[in-house]
Amino acid sequence: MTNPSKKNVSASDPAEALWNCKAGFIGIFLASALVNILYLTGSFFMLEVYDRVLPSRSIPTLIALCLLALLLYAFQGAFEMVRGRMLVRVAGALDEAMSARIYRAVVQTPLKLRTQGDGLQALRDFDQVRSFLSGTGPAAFFDLPWLPFYIGICFLFHPLIGIVAIVGSIILIALTFLTNRGTQGPSKKASEAGNHRNAFAQASQRNAEVMQAMGMLGRMSQLWEQRNNTYREQNRETSDVGNGYGALSKVFRMALQSAVLATGAVLVIEGTASPGIIIAGSILTARALAPVELAIGNWRGYVSCRQSWQRLKELLKALPEREAPLELPVPKEKLSAEGLAGGPPGAQRLTFADVNFTVKAGSALGVIGPSASGKSSLARALIGIWPAFRGSVRLDGAALDQWDTDRLGRYVGYLPQDVELFGGTVAQNIARLSENPTPDAIVSAAKAARVHDLILKLPNGYETEIGEGGTALSAGQRQRVALARALFGEPFLVVLDEPNSNLDAEGEQALSEAIMSVRARGGIVVVIAHRPSALAAADMVLMMNEGRMQAFGPKDEVLAQILRKDNRQPQIASPASLKVVGEGQESAS
């Protein structure tokens, strides 16, 4: 069976993606129509047996009816299977159309919005929608519109049987409404409690060494129990409500079936209906109300799916995709910040403001300042991963939002303060997981970072598997490999945030040489400095304090200006001995 929306793999909106699956839904509707028509087989078979075979005592007639019923049951089973397979294909088509969009939203969420938990809620929501679509829930909803059809046939059997079926339908529909009302709130609370619990577990896993070393495991276990108890209680409440209404609807449908049997018996006794009406009416009524009962049984999944769908729509609306802008020339002249102010995504709080500077090609800018002065925030804003609340960052006069993100990434290298590498080989990490990188480009980046010899000493050289997060490497090795990744492809702008925090003397010398090599080829380097050795290769310095730019200019002039303003630090006698405090760290001794 073909995928109903194979050609629509680029849909960026959930509603659009579902609309692209309309051919699949039409097929499911037609299959449901045939299935529901064939569901009449049992009722009419019993009617013919009681009204035709038993009075005539005809075995050939019974055999013919059995063969016909078997054929119709076979067709019913085939259409049921086709409908189930089509539902799975529609869910797969939705996944094919939306998975890349959802992944991009997951990646962009911490950069654009304020997030809670582990940031993977969108993936869980999408999995919930896909699982519901491929399950039995949608089949029940496709069967529900056929309820009047069955009730109409009950009226053809006898009006009184039809009236009993209508009353039963109204009661079951009321139970469905109550199920919706009763499970909506607890289901939402259970989802939120589950997110908090999972986020706590992941934070505990990241800090396992700290917890073990400082005896925090007992207390953390207590906190985990509190969160897990909340999640369990909310889940129990949701299940109790859903199961309660499900059991009530099941018992009521059985009682209704008996009521139809009793009604048929009365009609037969009074001579207004044939004996076959008793069994046929009972079977038909039960079938008419089965989709309602099935819908009640799947209502919890439906509520969760609907909530997940709504969250996905809100998330994707908050992170719209834009068409790729006009392709701009390769930047090669300057980096400038004009009245730049910014802060964390999703927060109405500035961590720096009124930053103005221009750095020309071939320069290295050292950004210094005390803790919490806005240095790292500025670094993130300079490459566009944190939003600019005011002002702009420009490369060769073009603001960052005028560039296509993927294309701009080719001209930018970034070494974050907290280094994270991907699972794979050293070569794959240096090449930024490019599909077909050239070996020369990988080795060139490693040599530019002065890490080529270090890599060759690893067990398998460039093909060494480093594990998730680079756990097979030391902190210093990870930082140097990440520096090579930042230099891959000879980017024009290289931003290094505390690049020597885990380096020894040899590594710091290699860092200075790498910065000088970028300057020599006409690139620009921005170094967020904590230790003075990081400024050795810089020719420009920007001083930050309390989120404001205090000074900017040639390194010697700015450092001399700082020394004149602060005579309380006699140890700072020259640029080489300047002690700069970075964000979240104590000053070096």
Side-chain angles (χ1 to χ4, degrees), residues 9 17 39 43 74 142-143 159 189 201 207 221 248 257 300 311 330 339 346 388 390 431 451 463 465 483 503 514 550:
V9 297
Y39 264 126
S43 299
F142 273 102
D143 289 341
K189 291 179 180 178
N207 293 278
S221 297
L248 185 60
Q257 194 170 0
R300 181 182 177 185
R311 283 194 296 265
V330 178
R390 294 199 306 267
V451 74
E463 297 304 317
E465 293 283 344
L483 176 61
L503 300 183
Q550 299 295 309

Side-chain angles (χ1 to χ4, degrees), residues 20 181 222 338 363 389 408 523:
N20 290 338
R181 288 285 301 273
Q222 293 175 359
E338 301 175 353
S363 292
F389 296 155
L408 177 63

Side-chain angles (χ1 to χ4, degrees), residues 209-217:
E209 294 179 357
V210 173
M211 291 166 55
Q212 181 70 22
M214 297 194 293
M216 298 171 59
L217 189 58

